[in-house]
Amino acid sequence: MRRRLLVLAMIASCTLSAPLRAQDRTVPFEESLARLSEVLGGLHYLRALCGANEGAKWRAQMQALVDAEAPAGSPRRAKMISRFNRGYRSFEQTYRTC
């Protein structure tokens, strides 16, 4: 009985002291990152529409943000990319001229 309790106590202490994985943590600015991703998508669309000679500047900015904030395969990464695409499509449906 004592041995069982000791084993259970050891398992519990290991579980409680295990660090959270990056994707398990909630980030207080999560929604702000998602909104920024959407804005960058809109800027990426407007860049070409308005004749800016920036190449893929805003897409590159988005890629850098995603690489810095969300590890590959994480739900946060997928959400940020989805919001970028949503911003692009939203502006594409709304604006035809600069």
Side-chain angles (χ1 to χ4, degrees):
M1 182 69 167
R2 261 188 182 166
R3 183 174 270 174
R4 252 189 223 168
L5 289 174
L6 182 60
V7 170
L8 288 174
M10 290 173 61
I11 291 171
S13 69
C14 290
T15 304
L16 294 175
S17 65
L20 291 174
R21 294 184 316 223
Q23 59 265 31
D24 290 342
R25 285 183 273 163
T26 57
V27 179
F29 49 86
E30 185 77 34
E31 192 52 39
S32 296
L33 277 176
R35 178 68 183 129
L36 177 60
S37 300
E38 199 169 328
V39 168
L40 289 173
L43 286 171
H44 184 61
Y45 173 74
L46 290 176
R47 167 202 52 81
L49 185 67
C50 294
N53 292 326
E54 300 172 332
K57 176 183 178 178
W58 299 110
R59 187 185 180 292
Q61 291 290 325
M62 177 63 189
Q63 187 64 53
L65 179 65
V66 167
D67 290 343
E69 291 295 328
S74 74
R76 181 190 298 158
R77 185 180 191 96
K79 180 180 180 181
M80 290 173 71
I81 292 169
S82 173
R83 293 288 292 263
F84 178 87
N85 292 334
R86 183 167 97 178
Y88 185 95
R89 284 189 305 271
S90 171
F91 273 61
E92 184 179 40
Q93 292 172 356
T94 306
Y95 298 100
R96 299 286 183 229
T97 60
C98 184

